[in-house]
Amino acid sequence: MSSVFETAPAATAIPITFVTRVTWDAIRDALPAPARQFAAANGFAAKPGKFLTLPAADGSIAEVLFGLDDPGHKARDPFRPGALPGLLPPGVYRFANAPHDTRLAALAFALGCYRYGRYRKNETPDVRLVPPDGIDAADIMRMADAAALARDLINAPSNDMGPAELADAARQLAVRFGATFGCITGADLEQNFPLIHAVGMASTRPPRLIDLTWGDPTHPKVTLVGKGVCFDTGGLDLKPSSGMLIMKKDMGGAANVLALAQMVMDARLKVRLRVLIPAVENAVAGNAFRPLDIFRSRKGITVEIGNTDAEGRLVLADALALADEEKPDLLVDLGTLTGAARVALGPDLPPFYTNDETLAADVAAHAKGENDPLWRMPLWPAYDAWLDSKTADITNAPSGGFAGSITCALFLQRFVEHAGSWLHVDIYGWTPTARPGRPEGGECQAARAIYRLLSQRYA
């Protein structure tokens, strides 16, 4: 994604004036008389999202008016300026006054320029913004570029984004930043990562474990694990067609882990970074894994298959076990894992889990600060017994249907023993309805908040 920021002098840029119901009267009264009359004739009101270009005497654009939520409004959206790229005519613009949060407004502007155009012409808005004073434009573009990567990967249809293509995306990222890249497949995968192999073995596109490392080995170890289920039919516990419709997004955890890794490497944070992505397709064939099959995981824990559609936690379990063997200072996993999380919190608010109170507080603070919302949920010990199986150590899908996101987190916790801290995030990875700065489709979730946390700890 090319930079949306312009180095031209601010005086030559078209001013964008933000207005609210509270400020509109004073701003309107300060306008030249013809501009006031033009706004009145066009019925402009200072409502959130309302937009008007005011003409100059020569017919050019003299100023842009854009409505924001009133300060303190319970539904105030700091990303509302992200609608501007889709509204503005081509040109170079500047903020004439401060929005509610100038940095988030500039980030929203950059995020709002994203368009997915791989399969049909979908031109990126030809608009540029003079960076407002006091913001780090390079850091904002770092986050916008990473969001574009995550969105591009998730939006790609599964026929063009299988395990091999996901591995190629990780390889390209490794080459760009001088990281070490590896990929485990075949007999090595089957022998050492049985759960990953079991989930992916029915597909004609072989499963694999992607492994990327970067940074000084003496720096604190940060390991990121992302669920890379490139399409999820549900396996033999087949999803209905409606449930399968957007399952190309089931590699959203992997996409967001790669976006986070890109930010970390581009910012040259002082970490020894490792990225692990189990990349599979959960397909249906004669050799598909079955309900009540039992597999011995990499960690040695035997797992009974209660449901083949609870496959994400299986592939993450083997990858987490490998990550944990290295005893990282911080171990983070992201995955599009449970419908229960969506029922509880909806598509925009992923739950996160950790037993590290300091980490939990930092994640919550940075999620709020970056407008990358996350909500802590408990690793409730009493529910751990629900994972019990009569024939294996644990089941991947407890019966009863209660607390699905929590029991998934508890399942994954069984495979983390040695990491200094562990953070699990159950993302959705998709924006169902377009909103300012967030087009419909694949979405970057949790990555910006975690990047900001890592920036604070390891700058």
Side-chain angles (χ1 to χ4, degrees):
M1 181 176 177
S2 60
S3 178
V4 303
F5 293 115
E6 176 64 56
T7 57
T12 65
I14 301 168
I16 299 171
T17 299
F18 296 104
V19 299
T20 68
R21 290 184 178 91
V22 174
T23 64
W24 172 229
D25 287 347
I27 290 173
R28 180 190 57 208
D29 292 346
L31 293 172
R36 289 200 304 272
Q37 293 167 1
F38 186 84
N42 281 273
F44 179 78
K47 296 180 180 179
K50 292 297 182 180
F51 163 84
L52 183 67
T53 58
L54 299 177
D58 63 359
S60 63
I61 300 174
E63 186 176 355
V64 173
L65 301 176
F66 186 73
L68 295 180
D69 309 274
D70 289 325
H73 190 278
K74 64 180 180 180
R76 182 171 67 86
D77 183 1
F79 271 7
R80 193 170 294 284
L84 283 165
L87 299 171
L88 295 171
V92 178
Y93 296 85
R94 64 179 175 86
F95 293 167
N97 60 347
H100 298 314
D101 185 311
T102 301
R103 188 181 68 85
L104 288 181
L107 173 61
F109 192 100
L111 293 172
C113 288
Y114 173 84
R115 298 292 184 273
Y116 184 65
R118 181 173 176 178
Y119 298 93
R120 69 175 188 180
K121 190 174 181 180
N122 200 352
E123 294 181 356
T124 301
D126 186 16
V127 293
R128 298 289 184 272
L129 181 69
V130 175
D133 291 339
I135 70 161
D136 186 343
D139 196 53
I140 287 176
M141 279 312 304
R142 182 176 296 123
M143 289 189 281
D145 284 340
L149 172 65
R151 290 167 171 177
D152 280 348
L153 293 173
I154 297 170
N155 284 330
S158 295
N159 61 312
D160 284 338
M161 187 51 64
E165 290 81 7
L166 186 55
D168 190 54
R171 183 185 295 108
Q172 291 177 32
L173 197 63
V175 170
R176 176 180 169 187
F177 291 101
T180 300
F181 175 84
C183 204
I184 300 171
T185 58
D188 191 4
L189 186 78
E190 183 176 2
Q191 180 177 353
N192 295 303
F193 302 92
L195 297 179
I196 298 173
H197 176 264
V199 172
M201 64 185 178
S203 174
T204 57
R205 302 190 287 183
R208 62 204 65 212
L209 178 62
I210 300 162
D211 191 349
L212 179 154
T213 57
W214 173 90
D216 188 334
T218 65
H219 287 161
K221 296 177 182 178
V222 174
T223 301
L224 312 176
V225 180
K227 174 186 169 184
V229 178
C230 295
F231 192 81
D232 181 21
T233 65
L236 293 179
D237 287 308
L238 194 69
K239 293 178 183 289
S241 59
S242 59
M244 233 184 284
L245 190 60
I246 57 170
M247 278 300 100
K248 68 177 185 177
K249 80 170 184 67
D250 214 21
M251 38 66 69
N256 278 281
V257 157
L258 290 175
L260 176 53
Q262 177 174 299
M263 287 186 276
V264 167
M265 293 187 289
D266 188 62
R268 304 201 63 80
L269 299 186
K270 294 179 180 179
V271 298
R272 187 274 196 185
L273 179 70
R274 189 177 193 185
V275 177
L276 295 170
I277 296 174
V280 303
E281 180 178 28
N282 188 19
V284 178
N287 64 331
F289 74 123
R290 297 162 288 261
L292 300 189
D293 280 355
I294 296 175
F295 298 93
R296 186 175 298 276
S297 68
R298 176 180 179 83
K299 193 171 178 66
I301 298 171
T302 55
V303 181
E304 182 183 32
I305 306 303
N307 191 307
T308 64
D309 197 19
E311 85 300 331
R313 66 199 69 182
L314 296 174
V315 300
L316 284 178
D318 269 354
L320 283 170
L322 174 62
D324 192 59
E325 291 165 12
E326 199 178 43
K327 301 179 181 178
D329 296 87
L330 176 61
L331 175 55
V332 178
D333 77 80
L334 303 180
T336 51
L337 285 155
T338 68
R342 313 289 80 82
V343 171
L345 299 175
D348 303 335
L349 185 59
F352 74 91
Y353 299 83
T354 182
N355 279 328
D356 184 328
E357 296 301 321
T358 300
L359 178 61
D362 287 348
V363 168
H366 291 300
K368 183 177 181 181
E370 295 302 321
N371 196 34
D372 191 8
L374 299 169
W375 193 265
R376 188 183 186 188
M377 288 180 65
L379 288 159
W380 192 246
Y383 295 165
D384 196 66
W386 293 0
L387 298 173
D388 290 348
S389 164
K390 294 179 180 178
T391 52
D393 292 327
I394 55 175
T395 177
N396 76 322
S399 60
F402 292 127
S405 183
I406 295 175
T407 54
C408 176
L410 291 168
F411 178 92
L412 295 176
Q413 188 180 35
R414 296 286 188 103
F415 297 85
V416 179
E417 183 179 359
H418 303 294
S421 295
W422 170 58
L423 172 68
H424 162 62
V425 191
D426 190 346
I427 67 170
Y428 191 54
W430 191 264
T431 298
T433 303
R435 291 176 298 143
R438 293 147 293 194
E440 180 181 346
E443 191 51 278
C444 185
Q445 286 185 320
R448 288 187 291 105
I450 299 170
Y451 164 67
R452 185 59 67 210
L453 180 147
L454 297 177
S455 298
Q456 184 187 63
R457 292 189 175 189
Y458 308 114

